[in-house]
Amino acid sequence: MTYVIGLDVGGTFTDAVAADSSGALYTAKTPSTPPDFARGFENALDLLAAQAGLGTEELLAETSHVAHGTTAALNALVTGDVATVGFLTTRGHGDAITIMNVEGRYLGLSPHEAQDTLRTRKPDPLVARSLRREVTERVDRDGRVVVPLDEDEVRAHLRELVAQGVDALAVSLLWSFRNQAHELRIRELARQEAPGLYVTLSSELTPRIREFARAATTIMNAQVGPTLRAYLDPLERRLRERGLAGPLLVMQGSGGTVSARRAPEVAITTVGSVLTGGVVGAARLAEQLGHPNVVSTDVGGTTFLVGLIVDGRPVSTAGTVLNQHPINTPALRVHAIGSGGGAIAAVDAGGNLRVGPNSAGARPGPACYGQGGVNPTVTDADLVVGILNPDFFLGGRQRLSRELAEKALLEQVGRPLGLDAEGAAAAVFAVQNGQTGDLVRKVVVEAGHDPRDFVVYAFGGAGPMHSFAYR
């Protein structure tokens, strides 16, 4: 029997599915294990193997490939836990990442935020000026070398940056997408001066016009490449030791995959991979069911995600934005808000009930998990209103405490609002449903579509529980 395995590591849960050559499906869901997410990965594999009546080594030996969605790159960028990057660019262009351009003030902001011009600010540059170096070289718009690369100068810059403790190098020269010879030579020099230094070239990663977006994408790739390599290399090695013969593939934001060995070189393309996997699956199901237009909705542990399938194809974009910086690589267009099952509910200073975007995560998790969490979440509300079965969570492998859920809801939501525990749960449930419904309307209607032409697909840990309220 031959198997294919898909495994998605989220901030709260790790989900896995295996399909064998006869068409049989096996599924597993287990808590994620931050900061060592590989442990949760292996736990999910063990559960899958048990479902199939095999040992994990037997399952892996008969697996043609494993497709893995990971948040490693995205989490690193969001939290700022990234490599120290040195930046090389053409002489005279070192401040381009600080100057940005006009859009730098409003990238990633909502229309309301962008119109508040007194409050808009450009983000801090991705690389401090002390870690930027300008090199003598010039290629014109037709790819002709106008000024040769000063290799001695490059070597001196590399030695200085290494002495300053950089972990990675980003190289983005003017017009290099027309002629990449100088960038390729800089990488050769870097390998001579600092063997093992992670190097990203803009001409390989994003050979497109627009200097700032290309530089920003290259720098962010260098920031997360070492992190992804540190996660994937030992994970793949461990899977090989346990019998995996086929490739370990990593999902990309475009909906495709890349090998685990290649993924760190194009790490930025994996940002959003756990967001797009559901849309790709929905597109496949829609093809089988004959639904050309679909609203794909996913209520996970941390976020609520919405993607569109129009005329049988997922809606995509040429680039995305993160922390007000452009990512110049293709991706499926997926909209997200922090309104998943682990979204924390709280009453603000004005007496308003807020749900999310902060999440209880896998540890400590919602109060009902009994792992020390004291903040009420959407999952706690789902339990108290009677949607969740406390004795059959994770297929009966985890029991939920209604008492702890009621206590958290009463103390932090009910008393401030003059409600009992059930009333507080109903309020949290209503607010979460309102937020998800608003996002669905925004994604469908603001794109100029008629909702009546679409079918809604709901998945994720809590999607089916809340999908009736998308209205």
Side-chain angles (χ1 to χ4, degrees):
M1 193 73 71
T2 302
Y3 295 86
V4 172
I5 296 175
L7 200 146
D8 174 82
V9 177
T12 306
F13 285 103
T14 295
D15 298 280
V17 60
D20 67 25
S21 51
S22 72
L25 292 175
Y26 307 94
T27 62
K29 190 179 190 75
T30 186
S32 295
T33 54
D36 181 14
F37 286 101
R39 183 162 55 88
F41 186 109
E42 292 199 60
N43 290 343
L45 285 180
D46 293 340
L47 289 172
L48 275 184
Q51 289 268 332
L54 300 170
T56 304
E57 287 72 17
E58 293 177 276
L59 174 64
L60 289 173
E62 297 181 30
T63 296
S64 65
H65 67 269
V66 177
H68 177 27
T70 173
T71 59
L74 177 61
N75 287 347
L77 288 170
V78 169
T79 62
D81 184 19
V82 296
T84 301
V85 175
F87 178 51
L88 293 186
T89 190
T90 303
R91 181 164 300 283
H93 293 260
D95 284 333
I97 61 171
T98 299
I99 298 170
M100 302 174 70
N101 48 36
V102 173
E103 68 178 3
R105 296 185 68 90
Y106 59 80
L107 274 175
L109 301 182
S110 68
H112 175 74
E113 292 171 322
Q115 290 170 8
D116 190 356
T117 55
L118 293 179
R119 295 180 182 273
T120 57
R121 295 289 186 275
K122 290 184 179 181
D124 292 334
L126 289 166
V127 178
R129 184 171 280 107
S130 61
L131 296 179
R132 302 177 216 161
R133 295 293 186 277
E134 299 179 357
V135 300
T136 301
E137 70 86 37
R138 191 61 182 260
V139 171
D140 70 13
R141 66 179 186 178
D142 297 316
R144 294 174 299 196
V145 176
V146 178
V147 178
L149 178 67
D150 188 332
E151 296 189 6
D152 291 336
E153 181 185 53
V154 171
R155 289 182 186 276
H157 288 332
L158 290 170
R159 287 192 288 267
E160 291 171 359
L161 291 172
V162 170
Q164 289 179 266
V166 301
D167 305 304
L169 182 70
V171 184
S172 184
L173 305 180
L174 196 65
W175 297 107
S176 61
F177 59 93
R178 290 291 194 187
N179 182 345
Q180 64 176 152
H182 288 171
E183 288 197 356
L184 291 173
R185 182 54 181 160
I186 288 175
R187 181 167 61 191
E188 292 174 358
L189 296 173
R191 287 172 175 169
Q192 295 172 15
E193 294 294 332
L197 183 68
Y198 181 96
V199 180
T200 293
L201 306 182
S202 72
S203 57
E204 291 184 339
L205 179 68
T206 173
R208 293 162 54 181
I209 198 168
R210 304 292 294 179
E211 180 183 4
F212 167 60
R214 183 159 51 88
T217 304
T218 305
I219 292 167
M220 285 190 281
N221 191 75
Q223 287 178 330
V224 297
T227 299
L228 191 59
R229 183 168 59 189
Y231 168 66
L232 288 176
D233 283 359
L235 175 62
E236 184 174 27
R237 187 164 54 249
R238 176 64 175 154
L239 293 177
R240 298 294 177 210
E241 292 171 354
R242 299 190 70 180
L244 179 66
L248 172 62
L249 304 176
V250 180
M251 285 288 297
Q252 297 176 287
S254 62
T257 60
V258 62
S259 71
R261 295 189 180 182
R262 166 72 171 154
E265 299 175 18
V266 291
I268 199 67
T269 68
T270 70
V271 170
S273 66
V274 294
L275 311 182
T276 60
V279 180
V280 173
R284 177 62 174 161
L285 180 61
E287 180 183 358
Q288 295 174 339
L289 297 180
H291 295 151
N293 302 319
V294 175
V295 183
S296 166
T297 65
D298 177 0
V299 182
T302 304
T303 54
F304 172 64
L305 311 169
V306 180
L308 285 184
I309 298 162
V310 179
D311 294 331
R313 298 178 64 86
V315 176
S316 61
T317 176
T320 54
V321 177
L322 185 65
N323 298 336
Q324 280 189 259
H325 285 100
I327 298 176
N328 214 18
T329 56
L332 298 188
R333 190 183 295 277
V334 180
H335 303 259
I337 56 173
S339 196
I344 295 172
V347 178
D348 65 19
N352 302 301
L353 176 59
R354 306 287 185 185
V355 177
N358 294 331
S359 173
R363 292 284 178 177
C368 62
Y369 283 13
Q371 298 174 164
V374 296
N375 293 313
T377 66
V378 171
T379 298
D380 294 304
D382 288 342
L383 176 61
V384 173
V385 298
I387 292 178
L388 276 177
N389 181 345
D391 300 317
F392 201 68
F393 193 69
L394 294 182
R397 289 183 290 110
Q398 182 176 347
R399 193 179 186 286
L400 303 181
S401 170
R402 181 184 174 101
E403 180 182 355
L404 291 175
E406 289 180 337
K407 182 174 184 291
L409 285 161
L410 181 62
E411 290 181 353
Q412 300 191 44
V413 176
R415 286 176 183 157
L417 297 179
L419 302 170
D420 59 14
E422 290 189 354
V428 172
F429 187 73
V431 170
Q432 195 273 352
N433 288 334
Q435 291 176 167
T436 55
D438 285 345
L439 184 59
V440 170
R441 283 190 294 275
K442 173 183 173 64
V443 171
V444 178
V445 177
E446 289 189 6
H449 300 296
D450 186 338
R452 294 171 294 186
D453 296 333
F454 285 76
V455 174
V456 173
Y457 287 4
F459 48 91
M465 293 190 296
H466 291 264
S467 57
F468 74 92
Y470 303 158
R471 62 183 191 275

